[in-house]
Amino acid sequence: MNKTLSKQPVFRFAPSPNGQLHLGHALSAVLNHDMAKTEGGRFLLRIEDIDIARCTPEFEAGIVKDLEWLGLDWEKPARRQSEHLDLYRQALGTLIDRDLVYPAFLTRGAIKTAVAEFEAKGKTWPRDPDGAPLYPGEERKLSAAARQRMLAGGKPHAWRLDMVRALAELKEPLTWQETGAGPDGETGVITADPAAWGDVVLSRSDAPSSYHLAVTVDDALQEVTHVVRGRDLFHATSVHRLLQSLLNLPQPAYHHHRLIVGPDGRKLSKSNRDTGIAAFREAGKTPDDVRAMVL
């Protein structure tokens, strides 16, 4: 894919229809919408519905209702990831052909057990920026024939990025332009650190793509020039920059905004209906009231 981005600014809001939108989503949606308007750009809505077990048409309808109530307008139709699964498979296939990913067979339970046994000896297992333990990666040592036998046997697996091999492909350090700020105030030109994530999942037996792979492919195909999203995804940008480099995709500018937290100091959750946009609407609040709350 050509690495040249569209000259017209393109912003997107990309929720998953697995729950109701809350005030944190409202902040992100309004920022993207308003920044696109200020820059004379385009505003897109993308429905990230790969998780078919949790995403529902009812939640998607709720998202549309909430955004329309807030007075936001976007280009129609909205893009649904579930309608473009072949594109993610193609991207994964490219990485498989280049031997940059491998099938990983350990279950979550097996990983948890391995970590517990390791740390019971007084050692510390390395963890990613979100606090999850890095994958052991024993399958990297398997021969191609051994991997093929296990795959042919139908054993459930995930395709994981071989981080060591992937980093060896880079010709220069990865960076991105940050116009917002990270958790520790990071801004300006940021040096990416994908190695901190270890061998990230790109696809599972029950899902054709991970968030990392799908969002990277979609942003490129939709010619997104500005990714505006919550600060909790700041460190994930390192993985996205690596995938952009490996797949020869353009890189947008990034703007990570503050998170809206609840009374307990934690970021809002879709499971907390009290902070849902719909709840404020039903309580008689106006769109201007919600804008004032988040901005």
Side-chain angles (χ1 to χ4, degrees):
M1 178 176 291
N2 194 304
K3 300 185 77 168
T4 301
L5 283 168
S6 167
K7 291 183 179 180
Q8 185 181 21
V10 180
F11 295 76
R12 50 75 165 175
F13 176 58
S16 294
N18 55 12
Q20 295 184 340
L21 297 187
H22 53 59
L23 289 179
H25 296 114
L27 171 59
S28 194
V30 168
L31 282 177
N32 273 283
H33 175 270
D34 291 0
M35 291 171 76
K37 187 175 182 180
T38 299
E39 296 293 330
R42 300 161 58 203
F43 175 56
L44 312 178
L45 173 63
R46 182 165 73 227
I47 303 298
E48 299 195 339
D49 59 348
I50 285 181
D51 187 349
I52 57 176
R54 299 174 60 204
C55 296
T56 70
E58 292 76 19
F59 283 135
E60 182 178 335
I63 288 172
V64 171
K65 183 176 181 179
D66 287 344
L67 296 180
E68 289 179 341
W69 179 74
L70 286 171
L72 308 188
D73 187 32
W74 56 91
E75 294 184 12
K76 309 296 192 299
R79 179 185 179 89
R80 290 183 181 82
Q81 288 185 332
S82 60
E83 297 173 354
H84 302 279
L85 302 183
D86 284 347
L87 295 175
Y88 314 134
R89 293 190 182 100
Q90 289 172 19
L92 179 65
T94 297
L95 298 175
I96 292 174
D97 291 344
R98 293 168 59 189
D99 200 22
L100 295 177
V101 296
Y102 63 89
F105 301 96
L106 290 184
T107 64
R108 290 186 178 92
I111 298 171
K112 185 177 181 180
T113 298
V115 172
E117 292 176 350
F118 183 86
E119 295 192 331
K121 302 174 184 177
K123 302 177 182 179
T124 301
W125 191 281
R127 284 171 163 75
D128 68 25
D130 285 343
L134 300 189
Y135 189 71
E138 293 301 316
E139 295 93 340
R140 287 195 300 264
K141 304 173 185 177
L142 294 176
S143 66
R147 290 179 182 177
Q148 201 57 44
R149 283 195 300 271
M150 296 179 77
L151 290 172
K155 189 173 182 179
H157 63 281
W159 285 99
R160 287 182 175 268
L161 184 67
D162 187 326
M163 187 59 71
V164 173
R165 284 181 177 270
L167 293 177
E169 294 278 307
L170 299 180
K171 297 179 174 59
E172 58 187 14
L174 291 174
T175 63
W176 79 83
Q177 183 64 44
E178 177 65 50
T179 60
D184 297 317
E186 305 95 327
T187 192
V189 178
I190 306 297
T191 299
D193 182 21
W197 291 92
D199 296 349
V200 293
V201 171
L202 298 185
S203 175
R204 302 190 309 270
S205 296
D206 60 346
S209 177
S210 70
Y211 164 76
H212 294 305
L213 182 60
V215 73
T216 302
V217 170
D218 282 339
D219 283 342
L221 291 175
Q222 292 189 284
E223 298 188 315
V224 172
T225 59
H226 295 72
V227 173
V228 180
R229 59 191 181 187
R231 199 165 287 162
D232 53 329
L233 291 169
F234 176 84
H235 292 295
T237 310
S238 289
V239 177
H240 305 164
R241 284 291 298 114
L242 177 56
L243 291 173
Q244 287 160 2
S245 178
L246 295 176
L247 295 170
N248 196 33
L249 302 177
Q251 66 161 305
Y254 290 87
H255 182 103
H256 292 88
H257 59 72
R258 65 184 176 84
L259 300 177
I260 296 180
V261 299
D264 58 359
R266 297 182 181 181
K267 70 175 184 176
L268 300 184
S269 168
K270 289 178 179 176
S271 62
N272 187 352
R273 293 175 58 87
D274 292 340
T275 59
I277 297 173
F280 287 108
R281 181 173 63 249
E282 292 164 3
K285 298 292 185 182
T286 68
D288 286 341
D289 292 332
V290 172
R291 275 180 169 267
M293 289 180 195
V294 300
L295 296 179

